[in-house]
Structure formats: C-alpha cells, structure tokens
Amino acid sequence: SAVISQKPSRDICQRGTSLTIQCQVDSQVTMMFWYRQQPGQSLTLIATANQGSEATYESGFVIDKFPISRPNLTFSTLTVSNMSPEDSSIYLCSGDRDSNYGYTFGSGTRLTVV
Amino acid sequence: LAKTTQPISMDSYEGQEVNITCSHNNIATNDYITWYQQFPSQGPRFIIQGYKTKVTNEVASLFIPADRKSSTLSLPRVSLSDTAVYYCLVGLPRDYKLSFGAGTTVTVRA
C-alpha cells in the first residue's frame, strides 16, 4: 500500500496566521482527502482533492478557510487560514484506495493555535 | 452511507480474544464492511474488509452474518500494543468518502 509523509507533525501558531500542511505520497494516487480530528473525537472529512480540479468541500468547510492544492498525483497541501483557537485540532491526509489495503493515512499534524 | 453503531469502549487483558460488534442495519446490497485501527498520534490504519461470511488475515478476523446487519471484528490474543481505537465503516468499495463513526476504544491491560 502507499506510504504518505505528512508535515509538519505538529505546530503552535499565533491566531490570525496561516499554516500549510503538506502530504507526499510515495506512489501516484487518484484522489486525496483531508480530515480534521479533534482530540478524543472521530475524523471529519474536510475536502476531497483531485489533480487538476478544484477541491470538493464538505458541509461546514469552505475554500477561503481551507484552501487545498493538488498539483500532481503524489502531492497535496491544506492551508488553515486566519487561524483561531477553534482551529486547534489534528489534521490528516489520506490517499487513494488500494483495493487490498484500504486507504492510507498520513500520521497527522497536531495544530495548536494560541 | 449506512450508519454504524459500535461500543464506545472495551477493556481486555493480554492474551485474551477481543470481539467488537458493529451494527449497520441499513447496509446496502453492494456495501462492504471495513475496519480501521488508530493508535494515538497516528492516522488510521486499514485492518480488514469483508462482504459476507468470514474473512481472516494476519491481524484479525471479520465475521459477517447472512443478513449483514452487523459484523464482528475479532482480535485474537491481544497484547498491550493492540490498545487503540477501532472504527467500523460501511460503504461501497470504490466510495472514497470514508465516514468515520465514534469508534471503539480498546484498552488492553497486563
């Protein structure tokens, strides 16, 4: 199955600033996904990213707040813009499905906004 | 996407078998059942997937009754390192939009 490298693993940011999270996959994947996970909670899908097209956002998430790039089949970024303490969470990316091994996830970015 | 219900938490001891049952009464004909495992500070990891009857791999077994309205993940002879959150998901094999429920926190004690 694919391996996804996600960085940074954690960051502490000032409110009002932006943070860009990167995910690099070791093989080409058709689609990538971005999730948010509050501590002790389950995962919530933010958006789906295809190469060459605009990301598709889930209800409650907007492009201005969470712009996503997908320049090629092995890379994607998620930016958390104009951060507030409410954005403190774990952000995870996920890659395309291998029919035998399910979806692959990055290890997550733990974001704290102060 | 079919809604799933699973216990919030389960406790076990090393060497025991842990069985986690997931209810999915509204499962559709073409839906598969997939289980993921998540350790603290890591992303979820695929464990096993099945459509009906029984599926076994090196990590776990998945039992699915004929009506497919529930499924049971079986972890044989657990160790402390099996302490994690386990998620049951139901959906089409090529449905990329995973819907994670609350999951089951399994705590294995010495």
Side-chain angles (χ1 to χ4, degrees):
Chain A
S1 57
V3 175
I4 299 181
S5 300
Q6 183 173 345
K7 60 180 182 181
S9 59
R10 59 179 60 226
D11 207 341
I12 300 173
C13 301
Q14 296 291 323
R15 68 179 66 201
T17 63
S18 298
L19 176 72
T20 295
I21 302 167
Q22 300 180 3
C23 277
Q24 179 74 53
V25 192
D26 68 348
S27 60
Q28 292 184 343
V29 294
T30 303
M31 301 173 77
M32 292 187 71
F33 309 87
W34 289 94
Y35 291 84
R36 183 170 71 184
Q37 185 174 31
Q38 307 282 8
Q41 303 296 315
S42 187
L43 287 77
T44 300
L45 181 64
I46 297 173
T48 302
N50 282 334
Q51 185 203 9
S53 62
E54 203 166 275
T56 303
Y57 290 82
E58 298 301 304
S59 176
F61 298 97
V62 295
I63 187 172
D64 290 345
K65 178 66 175 178
F66 298 101
I68 289 170
S69 77
R70 183 81 201 277
N72 56 54
L73 292 175
T74 63
F75 189 78
S76 180
T77 67
L78 170 77
T79 299
V80 186
S81 303
N82 188 24
M83 289 183 286
S84 67
E86 291 69 36
D87 295 318
S88 297
S89 189
I90 299 169
Y91 293 86
L92 299 113
C93 62
S94 174
D96 199 3
R97 179 196 170 115
D98 179 310
S99 61
N100 293 323
Y101 299 103
Y103 295 88
T104 301
F105 285 80
S107 55
T109 296
R110 182 179 293 270
L111 171 63
T112 302
V113 183
V114 298
Chain B
L1 294 172
K3 177 178 171 60
T4 60
T5 303
Q6 49 183 124
I8 296 297
S9 63
M10 298 181 70
D11 289 343
S12 184
Y13 290 91
E14 285 189 293
Q16 291 187 334
E17 179 181 79
V18 172
N19 296 306
I20 310 170
T21 296
C22 178
S23 296
H24 29 79
N25 292 319
N26 296 323
I27 188 169
T29 302
N30 296 325
D31 283 346
Y32 278 66
I33 299 140
T34 308
W35 286 81
Y36 282 81
Q37 174 191 57
Q38 186 178 26
F39 298 114
S41 301
Q42 294 188 27
R45 181 177 74 107
F46 171 88
I47 300 177
I48 197 166
Q49 182 183 78
Y51 182 80
K52 62 181 180 180
T53 63
K54 177 183 175 182
V55 180
T56 298
N57 61 22
E58 65 278 4
V59 177
S61 294
L62 178 59
F63 299 92
I64 306 168
D67 66 5
R68 303 199 329 120
K69 293 185 182 300
S70 67
S71 59
T72 299
L73 175 73
S74 181
L75 306 172
R77 298 180 297 281
V78 294
S79 63
L80 296 176
S81 62
D82 292 316
T83 293
V85 180
Y86 293 82
Y87 296 98
C88 166
L89 287 79
V90 173
L92 296 174
R94 299 304 291 177
D95 185 347
Y96 295 100
K97 292 178 59 174
L98 299 182
S99 177
F100 284 83
T104 298
T105 299
V106 173
T107 303
V108 181
R109 307 179 192 280

